[in-house]
Structures are given as C-alpha cells and as structure tokens.
Amino acid sequence: RQVAADGGMIEETCRYCHNAVPAIPADGARRSRPDLRIASSQLCLGCHSRHWDFSQRGHVERPVPDSFNRPAQLPLADGNVACYSCHNPHQAGLFPSGSVLDARATVPIDAAVALRMNSMELCIACHTK
C-alpha cells in the first residue's frame, strides 16, 4: 500500500526502495533520479523471487544498447534493464493517471502483474525488429 484512504501518499512505504521520500511531480513526469537504495533488480529481489524472462538470454541486468529505443515509461537502472523497467512498483493513483510515472498496462492479465504497458507492446517498445 502506497496510497492512503484519503488519497495521500504513505511515506514510510517509499523507504522500502528509496533512500528518501521522493516528491510527486504534479504532471507525473520523471525529472530526477529516483535515489533508490539499490539501482538494480536486487532491490526487487529482496522481497520478490526471480521469475521467468521472455528472452532466452534474459533481460534483467543487461545493458540496453544505444541503438535500441528507450521509452520514457520504461526506466533503466544505470543503463541496464531491471525488474522495474517493465513492472511498475507503484500503486495506481500515486501518480497522475496516464502520466509516465503511472504507466501501466490496460489488458487485465498484464495489469495484474503490474506491467508498465501491454505485453504485446512491451517488446516493440525497445526492439525495432
């Protein structure tokens, strides 16, 4: 839970991942580094188990080549793919709806696993072929 019943942010949950409670931009645009406790998927794996990756070589902790697209709604961990590149760890309603920070899938099965966009669009967001 990151959003209180009154719609406000529950600040103590921010500190599971962030060193300090970040400000929520009114427009939901990413303007600064998130000041994560660990800038990698190790942050997520402290609570969640590693799961299946669509790529045979795997995506997690791999660098994204400059030739690839880098959509704003898919954040990287110092140039590498992290769990939170594809999955949005923030509760719906924390950021303005439809904003980059609120990016989430609309297909129910993809939304259930907190994908930032529908799985059919996720691959082509970065891969052009």
Side-chain angles (χ1 to χ4, degrees):
R1 301 272 322 146
Q2 299 166 341
V3 180
D6 66 1
M9 176 172 55
I10 303 173
E11 293 186 0
E12 52 269 12
T13 55
C14 299
R15 290 194 178 97
Y16 288 140
C17 301
H18 299 272
N19 287 312
V21 177
I24 295 182
D27 62 358
R30 191 177 281 116
R31 290 193 181 77
S32 61
R33 298 184 63 79
D35 191 23
L36 295 172
R37 296 169 60 87
I38 304 168
S40 77
S41 292
Q42 293 306 313
L43 178 70
C44 308
L45 297 174
C47 297
H48 302 277
S49 62
R50 189 176 291 275
H51 64 278
W52 183 65
D53 190 334
F54 284 97
S55 170
Q56 290 179 348
R57 294 185 330 153
H59 285 88
V60 177
E61 305 307 327
R62 291 195 179 267
V64 176
D66 289 336
S67 61
F68 280 42
N69 294 325
R70 293 180 180 211
Q73 69 268 34
L74 301 178
L76 299 177
D78 295 327
N80 294 319
V81 174
C83 299
Y84 53 81
S85 295
C86 298
H87 299 275
N88 193 334
H90 300 108
Q91 183 178 350
L94 184 63
F95 297 108
S97 180
S99 68
V100 168
L101 291 172
D102 184 61
R104 53 193 71 249
T106 56
V107 173
I109 196 166
D110 295 338
V113 292
L115 287 180
R116 291 184 183 269
M117 59 179 58
N118 297 331
S119 60
M120 296 302 289
E121 301 161 349
L122 194 55
C123 298
I124 60 173
C126 297
H127 300 271
T128 55
K129 294 182 181 182

